Amino acid sequence: MLEITIPDNLTFADLKLNFNDDGQISFNIQVIERICNLNGLRAHHLFASGENAVLRLIVVWYAQHLAAGGKLDQTAENLMTEIKLEGKDGDRGLTTPPYSS
């Protein structure tokens, strides 16, 4: 499984993962950008690659978060269930940037 390094002062809750009223997923894009920067990834390439690439990063982070003893995140759990039901890494709608700091 892919591993990513998360900045020390960042928590999964900082992502502010959420389902909008229309069912699309929203999140704090600045959090993803910080993770990309730390891991030598170009955030604009990740977003240009499509929703699967972004979802993959979120899923990997969530798995690492849980493995480290992190608390369950209901939105992430719902997302994981949807991905499993779809049988692929997200045929989902993403909303970016959904939050401002």
Side-chain angles (χ1 to χ4, degrees), residues 11 21-22 59 61 75 83 87 92:
T11 68
D21 291 339
D22 61 3
V59 166
W61 182 14
T75 302
I83 289 170
R92 302 264 330 135

Side-chain angles (χ1 to χ4, degrees), residues 12 15 29 39 43 57 68 75 83-84:
F12 192 80
L15 185 59
I29 193 170
N39 287 276
L57 185 137
T75 302
I83 289 170
K84 288 176 186 174

Side-chain angles (χ1 to χ4, degrees), residues 14-87:
D14 294 329
L15 185 59
K16 297 181 183 173
L17 191 63
N18 189 36
F19 282 102
N20 294 332
D21 291 339
D22 61 3
Q24 290 189 335
I25 299 168
S26 65
F27 53 88
N28 185 331
I29 193 170
Q30 293 173 338
V31 169
I32 298 297
E33 289 171 340
R34 287 184 58 200
I35 293 169
C36 287
N37 288 339
L38 183 62
N39 287 276
L41 304 170
R42 295 186 178 181
H44 65 276
H45 285 159
L46 182 74
F47 290 110
S49 297
E51 61 192 30
N52 287 349
V54 177
L55 289 177
R56 205 168 291 120
L57 185 137
I58 292 171
V59 166
V60 167
W61 182 14
Y62 186 59
Q64 288 178 205
H65 164 77
L66 292 177
K71 293 167 60 172
L72 288 178
D73 179 281
Q74 192 56 55
T75 302
E77 290 293 318
N78 292 344
L79 176 61
M80 299 290 288
T81 299
E82 282 195 24
I83 289 170
K84 288 176 186 174
L85 290 174
E86 291 171 0

